[in-house]
């Protein structure tokens, strides 16, 4: 579920078909926030990669579970960012030498990426690059610092 108040949340079954629906919802949320296009595409790519990893790897060989995605808008005095967490309740499995490009993609598209693994599953936290605040009085896209 997305809204223009700065929050996004969805929980879906770890099924590759569900990834398309999730991406569309994330895109609508970012568009409602008037996220700049290049940064919007980067955020969707990075979050999609984290979700794809959860779908493909978290529940391998076991009963498929869910993937939860929660996003929030964080605004500072001169910029704003989205912070998105992707969480699964599966088991972390080493890649056994199969090195993909997922982490490189996520890190290349976002300002910060962190991964926490424990007995409850895996949580990936992605923080977007800063973008200008909306509605600046000087036309720069930045609101004046108070």
């Amino acid at each position: 579920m997305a809204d223009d108040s700065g929050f996004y949340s969805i929980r879906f079954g770890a099924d590759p078909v569900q990834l398309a629906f999730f991406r569309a919802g994330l895109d609508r949320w970012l568009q409602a926030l008037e996220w700049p296009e290049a940064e919007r595409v980067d955020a969707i790519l990075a979050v999609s990669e984290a979700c794809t990893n959860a779908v493909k790897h978290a529940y391998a060989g076991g009963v498929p579970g869910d993937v939860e995605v929660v996003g929030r808008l964080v605004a500072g005095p001169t910029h704003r960012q989205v912070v998105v967490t992707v969480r699964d309740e599966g088991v972390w499995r080493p890649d056994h030498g199969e090195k993909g490009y997922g982490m490189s993609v996520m890190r290349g598209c976002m300002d910060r990426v962190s991964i926490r693994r424990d007995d409850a599953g895996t949580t990936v936290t992605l923080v977007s690059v800063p973008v200008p605040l909306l509605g600046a009085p000087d036309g720069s896209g930045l609101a004046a610092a108070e």
Side-chain angles (χ1 to χ4, degrees):
M1 169 201 298
D3 64 36
D4 59 3
S5 69
F7 293 98
Y8 172 81
S9 179
I10 187 170
R11 186 175 188 97
F12 60 92
D15 177 341
V17 172
Q18 296 297 318
L19 291 170
F21 299 115
F22 138 75
R23 284 186 203 106
L26 182 63
D27 187 38
R28 281 191 302 276
W29 177 60
L30 291 170
Q31 285 185 32
L33 295 175
E34 297 182 45
W35 216 251
E37 183 176 0
E39 289 81 0
R40 180 174 51 85
V41 170
D42 280 352
I44 293 168
L45 179 59
V47 176
S48 181
E49 181 61 35
C51 288
T52 299
N53 286 343
V55 167
K56 287 175 62 176
H57 304 295
Y59 303 105
V63 176
D66 290 338
V67 177
E68 180 181 41
V69 181
V70 176
R72 63 186 168 91
L73 176 66
V74 177
T78 61
H79 68 276
R80 58 199 174 119
Q81 293 175 282
V82 290
V83 178
V84 181
T85 58
V86 177
R87 185 176 181 287
D88 67 62
E89 297 170 344
V91 177
W92 179 263
R93 290 171 178 77
D95 61 20
H96 300 292
E98 298 174 23
K99 191 83 170 149
Y101 295 102
M103 288 304 301
S104 295
V105 168
M106 287 186 271
R107 287 192 172 109
C109 292
M110 302 299 273
D111 190 41
R112 292 187 308 273
V113 177
S114 64
I115 300 174
R116 189 186 79 225
R117 300 172 204 98
D118 57 30
D119 292 339
T122 302
T123 302
V124 178
T125 303
L126 305 124
V127 180
S128 73
V129 297
V131 301
L133 289 173
L134 294 176
D138 64 358
S140 69
L142 299 176
E146 299 187 24

